[in-house]
Amino acid sequence: MSVKLQKFVKAALLLTVLSIALAACGSKAAQDANAANALEQIKKAGKIRVGLMGTYAPYNFLNDKHEVDGFDADVAKAVAKRLGVEVEFITGEFSGLVEGLQKDKYDALVSQVTITEDRKQKMDFSTPYVKNAVNVLVKSDNTTIEKLEDFKDKKIGVGLGTNDEKYLRDVAMPKVGTFEIATYNDVITSLQDLNVGRIDATINNVFAIKPLIEKNHFDVKAVGEPIKEDFAGIAIRKNNPELLDAINKALTEMKSDGTFKEIFQKWFGVNPNF
């Protein structure tokens, strides 16, 4: 290869490397710009896409008109109103909500997403908007399970992908000994299985279980003191500070002007619990 040809090849390779580097920088800049403009994009679209289960009364469920309803839905509507946009509710199984958020299927999750350190690595959370107590549930005639320590060698149901599932695996099992975990995509099915004896117990939010038990006449009961308390927040994709600030501002305003208290009393019959 001649000296001139060698120089030409080196120059071509250098240009190629520079082009790739510039393209990568441009792509990252575009991604950063998109992330930073999430609030602007929502306002431009005139709507915020909110992901939720739609099967978790009284938090979020489909009412008799097949409309998304519930505490979470009302909170989402009130936040959207303060952002100056409408809400588009998109329902899905809880285990797929986080992935859907990351893939831009939703702009936010308002579906009792418990704030945890692990989840903070994947998404950003608003300030908490509800505190939930988690209790043990058993059949009404069960006298062998009264507390978490009684789970050993039993079959315990829990929502798939929930913080409660992680709690059973990471905290409860090392503490009390081995037990079987059965996972469910919705609360109603776990309660049905508990009612007919397919599982020995389940754990869930006391606000969530009461209307389901009453409506379906399940022969089950909550036992003992709450095994833990969780805080839920509105989840969004990471690195969207404008959107996060706007949501937090909306929640603050709702608590100041009485809107949040009104929504809480509507669905739970008591004043906000924190």
Side-chain angles (χ1 to χ4, degrees), residues 137-139 141-142 145 153-158 179-184 186-202 218-220:
L137 283 90
V138 298
K139 286 197 70 173
D141 60 357
N142 187 311
I145 298 177
D153 299 326
K154 301 295 194 299
K155 186 175 183 179
I156 312 300
V158 70
F179 54 86
E180 183 180 352
I181 295 177
T183 56
Y184 295 87
D186 56 70
V187 179
I188 189 70
T189 307
S190 65
L191 290 175
Q192 287 171 342
D193 276 9
L194 179 63
N195 191 58
V196 299
R198 293 193 186 97
I199 56 177
D200 297 302
T202 184
F218 290 136
D219 189 23
V220 303

Side-chain angles (χ1 to χ4, degrees), residues 156-174:
I156 312 300
V158 70
L160 178 65
T162 63
N163 188 54
D164 289 345
E165 180 188 4
K166 181 175 176 59
Y167 175 82
L168 287 183
R169 297 187 188 280
D170 296 349
V171 179
M173 195 173 292

Side-chain angles (χ1 to χ4, degrees), residues 137-149:
L137 283 90
V138 298
K139 286 197 70 173
S140 294
D141 60 357
N142 187 311
T143 59
T144 61
I145 298 177
E146 298 181 346
K147 55 188 181 301
L148 194 66
E149 287 73 14

Side-chain angles (χ1 to χ4, degrees), residues 58-70:
Y59 292 99
N60 55 81
F61 62 96
L62 298 182
N63 60 25
D64 294 338
K65 297 180 181 179
H66 298 287
E67 300 169 334
V68 174
D69 206 347

